Amino acid sequence: MTATDISHRKKFFALGNVYLPHIVVIEKIIEETPGVRTFHFNFKDKKLGKEFSFESGQFGQYSVFGIGEAPFCISSSPTRRDHLEFTAQRVGRVTNALHRLGAGAELGFRGPYGNSFPLDFLKSKNLVFVGGGIGLAPLRSLIWNVIDNRNKYKKIDIIYGARSPADLCFKYDLDAWGKDKTVNMVTTVDKGDDTWKGKVGVVPKILEEVAPSAREAVAIVCGPPIMIRFTFPVLEKLGFTPKQMLTTLEKRMKCGIGKCGRCNIGNIYVCRDGPVFSYAQIKNFVSSEY
Amino acid sequence: MANKKVNKKDIAKLLNQWRQQFTVLAPSKENGVAQMAEWDGKDTSFLDWYRNTVIPPKASFLPPMEEMFRFQKDKEGYHIELPPTNEHKQLIFGIRPCDARAMTILDMTFEEAYQDPYYLSRRKNAVLVGLGCTNPCESCFCTSMGVSPTESTNVDLMLTDIGDQFLIEVVTDKGKELIAKASGLKEATKDDEAKAKETKETSYNKITRKLDTEGIVDKLQASFDDEGFWEQTAAKCISCGICTLLCPTCYCFDINDELVRGEGTRFRSWDSCGFPVYTKMPMENPRLEKWRRVRQKVCHKFEFYPMTFNVIACTGCGRCIRLCPVNWDITQVLESVPVKTGVRK
């Protein structure tokens, strides 16, 4: 491995200085679950907004001015550019501040950063999406991207779960994918309630039940680390090789561009070399550093 | 350009000539802590007491704290403003070869992929005048890290002690310009060159601490999951962060906002992988245990940096040994990495 080549990546340097955020405006806020919100936003400078481009899997650094910055993936699809979206759970200083904001509020945005899902590699393959909780956010950018270019891909399985029915994010997407006859949508919860009619069980267990074939398939996994750790062995059992498993990782980040140092796992910087990795790239670190 | 020489008693004169064009920084004791600080135009007593600074010269390029930009909100929304650019060109006088080498190592990170505008503009505007080390510390091990205590590789001009005078090697075009603008320098003679050579040899041989880094990347890879080894290595560490904050090749930083009466500032400050909060996320922390943080520090320098940039991110300056409050010793740690077969990847 040598220094990372980012020449082929989508980048946006409208302001010259890579640390300067662009001003973006929140247009709409969707309450996904208590504590998880999706923010629709656009560049304040419409011209910059038109110049901006990104790929599924890339992330941004979002500023609540005076509080700080935090990284979130762009959870909308580049095929749907009416606005951009990100989804944040209220857990820390920046996300608590974000959750106090309403439509019309201004944020800072730097990005897009990081690599993206390898569309060329996914082309003409069966795709198995495995998501948990808010981990659906980066997958959903790719899922809509793939659905909007449906003929380029083969079978699509989506296995998505959350702790309870109330914790399911993107219910409107789950409905839409459920109705899409070209998609096999399986929703599960760890613990159901009186009205829950879907599956009950943790994601890795349901994945084992659904048992998608590994033939010409790629699995794309994102969720809490514990789910990721238990999902890879199931996929291996189903015949997926480490190269056929992709995931996108999350770490504490400050700079987003491979300088500030805190997101590395081994010699990999999650912000610079990821956030999208194949299991082959990270399997040696999963047990010890993730 | 042929080498020059300058009388030691004329150093102030020389610095004052450069001072017209540069902010001259020289070794100084601020509150008793040796560091590069703006030279006052007179005092050259550092030539007597100076061995190396406590705060490495990286602080002049990546300051312990620096303003990145300001922000303000009015009726139209947020406005962002860059801090007034510091056009001052810095001349660092007396940088040691180990620390100059460290700057070259830092450049790799700040130039790689995305350019860091703050660091790089300071670097571009600065000149380094090196001063060969003739009185190294017991903790120094530069020669094991491929650095000679008097080498001129990473500076613009290099001074070597030849008795009452310094021999001046002109290394770069920037150095040539500095010499062209200075008066009172003499041509070095063959005799001066011979004296300099002798100083260099003597200095080199004064470095007695040795570290064998042969195969260190493979050794560390193989021992990455050896929890017992890392726990033992980290046992006495108190996570104070000194070995990283004062390391000339450590660059990790934090970014934070400050808002005072509607005037906002985003600033960055030195940070350390030695601190548990460094990697703390709201729901988890991948390096909560001390041994993981110590492993990160050691492996980043001796395994990950070589894997990425093909150089070890250590110059043997010895600060982490000298300044550690509990006598943690990187050379002992590296020499005790178990030799294992079966490499991790």
Side-chain angles (χ1 to χ4, degrees):
Chain A
M1 166 134 194
T2 51
T4 309
D5 178 15
I6 58 156
S7 55
H8 59 287
R9 290 203 194 144
K10 288 264 201 269
K11 294 181 285 290
F12 192 54
F13 280 128
L15 301 177
N17 179 327
V18 68
Y19 294 107
L20 288 193
H22 301 90
I23 306 292
V24 297
V25 182
I26 298 175
E27 294 183 337
K28 189 177 159 188
I29 298 171
I30 296 175
E31 179 109 6
E32 302 287 352
T33 74
V36 176
R37 286 180 185 174
T38 295
F39 298 83
H40 294 200
F41 67 99
N42 252 317
F43 281 75
K44 189 176 183 185
D45 181 337
K46 297 252 157 29
K47 198 171 142 273
L48 282 186
K50 282 207 178 99
E51 288 167 18
F52 178 81
S53 65
F54 73 101
E55 281 166 8
S56 292
Q58 290 193 290
F59 68 97
Q61 279 284 5
Y62 301 75
S63 302
V64 181
F65 290 107
I67 305 292
E69 264 186 323
F72 307 106
C73 70
I74 302 173
S75 61
S76 52
S77 166
T79 53
R80 301 177 173 209
R81 275 302 308 276
D82 172 49
H83 60 265
L84 299 159
E85 295 176 25
F86 73 94
T87 304
Q89 184 170 9
R90 194 179 64 225
V91 282
R93 211 153 42 101
V94 174
T95 51
N96 266 287
L98 269 172
H99 277 243
R100 285 195 292 272
L101 298 176
E106 291 184 358
L107 299 175
F109 173 85
R110 298 191 283 129
Y113 293 144
N115 66 356
S116 51
F117 290 108
L119 294 179
D120 286 344
F121 175 66
L122 301 180
K123 209 171 145 186
S124 310
K125 299 234 168 62
N126 298 311
L127 304 181
V128 180
F129 293 94
V130 185
I134 195 175
L136 188 57
L139 300 185
R140 117 185 232 273
S141 173
L142 180 61
I143 293 172
W144 281 119
N145 195 337
V146 162
I147 288 177
D148 290 341
N149 294 284
R150 190 65 188 88
N151 56 358
K152 286 191 187 166
Y153 308 91
K154 291 190 182 155
K155 212 167 154 257
I156 299 178
D157 288 291
I158 305 173
I159 294 130
Y160 173 66
R163 272 175 304 186
S164 75
D167 290 311
L168 292 166
C169 295
F170 309 107
K171 294 184 190 76
Y172 41 95
D173 287 340
L174 304 178
D175 285 349
W177 300 332
K179 284 177 192 143
D180 187 331
K181 296 210 163 53
T182 73
V183 173
N184 175 34
M185 176 78 223
V186 178
T187 311
T188 179
V189 293
D190 297 355
K191 198 166 177 270
D193 60 19
D194 299 345
T195 58
W196 180 250
K197 293 190 183 71
K199 293 197 179 277
V200 175
V202 295
V203 169
K205 185 177 151 253
I206 302 300
L207 170 67
E208 202 166 354
E209 269 177 42
V210 176
S213 163
R215 255 195 95 189
E216 287 177 50
V218 180
I220 306 113
V221 182
C222 187
I226 181 107
M227 186 207 91
I228 295 183
R229 275 195 286 267
F230 282 96
T231 297
F232 286 140
V234 173
L235 286 168
E236 274 181 322
K237 222 156 110 185
L238 294 171
F240 285 79
T241 62
K243 280 189 179 159
Q244 285 174 281
M245 304 178 207
L246 303 179
T247 188
T248 164
L249 300 182
E250 191 178 48
K251 286 273 171 189
R252 183 176 171 95
M253 291 175 190
K254 288 284 184 167
C255 72
I257 54 173
K259 312 278 185 231
C260 80
R262 72 204 65 232
C263 72
N264 69 339
I265 312 178
N267 68 321
I268 287 167
Y269 277 96
V270 172
C271 71
R272 183 194 66 186
D273 305 303
V276 177
F277 296 98
S278 74
Y279 184 49
Q281 284 173 288
I282 57 159
K283 65 177 175 190
N284 292 310
F285 298 112
V286 165
S287 60
S288 50
E289 281 272 89
Y290 194 73
Chain B
M1 192 185 266
N3 290 341
K4 305 282 179 191
K5 62 178 172 179
V6 61
N7 280 325
K8 281 183 178 171
K9 62 176 172 44
D10 291 337
I11 283 293
K13 238 185 260 172
L14 181 63
L15 292 183
N16 271 316
Q17 292 177 40
W18 288 333
R19 207 159 160 241
Q20 291 168 12
Q21 204 192 339
F22 294 94
T23 301
V24 172
L25 305 184
S28 166
K29 278 185 184 163
E30 309 286 318
N31 300 319
V33 179
Q35 55 197 283
M36 291 294 175
E38 190 166 350
W39 184 62
D40 65 0
K42 305 190 285 285
D43 183 11
T44 56
S45 62
F46 63 84
L47 292 176
D48 301 324
W49 61 257
Y50 172 52
R51 299 178 87 180
N52 203 352
T53 54
V54 170
I55 299 176
K58 73 170 180 186
S60 304
F61 300 92
L62 179 70
M65 186 172 290
E66 76 175 306
E67 189 177 317
M68 302 177 91
F69 60 84
R70 293 167 191 186
F71 51 89
Q72 252 187 326
K73 195 184 177 187
D74 63 18
K75 270 180 272 171
E76 283 148 26
Y78 280 102
H79 301 274
I80 287 172
E81 194 192 324
L82 279 171
T85 45
N86 188 349
E87 291 294 328
H88 280 309
K89 294 179 166 183
Q90 300 186 105
L91 183 150
I92 316 275
F93 182 83
I95 189 169
R96 296 299 190 195
C98 53
D99 290 342
R101 164 83 180 142
M103 294 311 303
T104 303
I105 291 171
L106 285 182
D107 291 347
M108 295 170 184
T109 286
F110 287 109
E111 274 171 359
E112 185 253 355
Y114 297 89
Q115 309 248 305
D116 187 284
Y118 307 98
Y119 173 91
L120 291 175
S121 75
R122 289 195 189 95
R123 265 300 258 159
K124 200 181 86 207
N125 284 325
V127 289
L128 301 181
V129 179
L131 182 57
C133 197
T134 51
N135 188 14
C137 304
E138 181 281 325
S139 46
C140 294
F141 57 102
C142 58
T143 54
S144 295
M145 304 312 297
V147 180
S148 140
T150 55
E151 74 170 48
S152 61
T153 321
N154 301 292
V155 294
D156 299 297
L157 286 182
M158 186 67 202
L159 274 59
T160 307
D161 194 324
I162 50 169
D164 293 334
Q165 295 162 315
F166 288 115
L167 180 95
I168 307 177
E169 285 170 75
V170 184
V171 187
T172 64
D173 287 344
K174 276 181 177 177
K176 216 181 268 183
E177 262 181 68
L178 280 181
I179 289 299
K181 281 174 188 146
S183 59
L185 303 179
K186 293 194 194 110
E187 298 283 326
T189 62
K190 274 203 178 129
D191 191 33
D192 298 330
E193 301 280 0
K195 272 191 209 158
K197 195 166 170 254
E198 199 188 313
T199 305
K200 288 183 182 223
E201 277 169 19
T202 315
S203 300
Y204 195 95
N205 292 329
K206 278 186 185 168
I207 308 281
T208 52
R209 185 183 282 262
K210 301 286 175 211
L211 171 64
D212 181 10
T213 57
E214 182 71 32
I216 192 67
V217 170
D218 291 344
K219 265 162 84 181
L220 286 170
Q221 274 186 2
S223 296
F224 190 80
D225 289 320
D226 187 340
E227 198 175 319
F229 167 70
W230 291 112
E231 277 198 333
Q232 201 188 343
T233 297
K236 66 180 174 182
C237 172
I238 55 169
S239 299
C240 72
I242 279 297
C243 60
T244 50
L245 297 172
L246 297 181
C247 169
T249 68
C250 269
Y251 53 83
C252 289
F253 57 82
D254 197 3
I255 300 179
N256 281 294
D257 283 9
E258 191 177 68
L259 192 60
V260 180
R261 283 184 223 94
E263 300 276 332
T265 309
R266 178 157 299 164
F267 60 91
R268 72 170 166 193
S269 49
W270 287 355
D271 203 349
S272 168
C273 62
F275 303 148
V277 71
Y278 177 71
T279 49
K280 187 185 178 296
M281 291 183 283
M283 314 286 265
E284 60 169 330
N285 188 349
R287 289 189 218 128
L288 185 62
E289 298 98 329
K290 188 174 66 177
W291 64 268
R292 292 182 190 274
R293 302 196 296 274
V294 170
R295 178 177 70 179
Q296 171 65 22
K297 178 209 139 70
V298 174
C299 290
H300 189 194
K301 297 196 168 299
F302 291 87
E303 180 189 342
F304 311 151
Y305 219 83
M307 285 169 81
T308 308
F309 295 114
N310 223 7
V311 296
I312 290 176
C314 171
T315 67
C317 77
R319 283 187 182 83
C320 59
I321 301 171
R322 243 178 349 264
L323 303 169
C324 177
V326 294
N327 290 323
W328 191 85
D329 183 336
I330 185 78
T331 56
Q332 279 174 14
V333 168
L334 288 166
E335 264 158 16
S336 61
V337 178
V339 180
K340 288 187 185 174
T341 50
V343 171
R344 179 160 49 89
K345 61 191 276 195

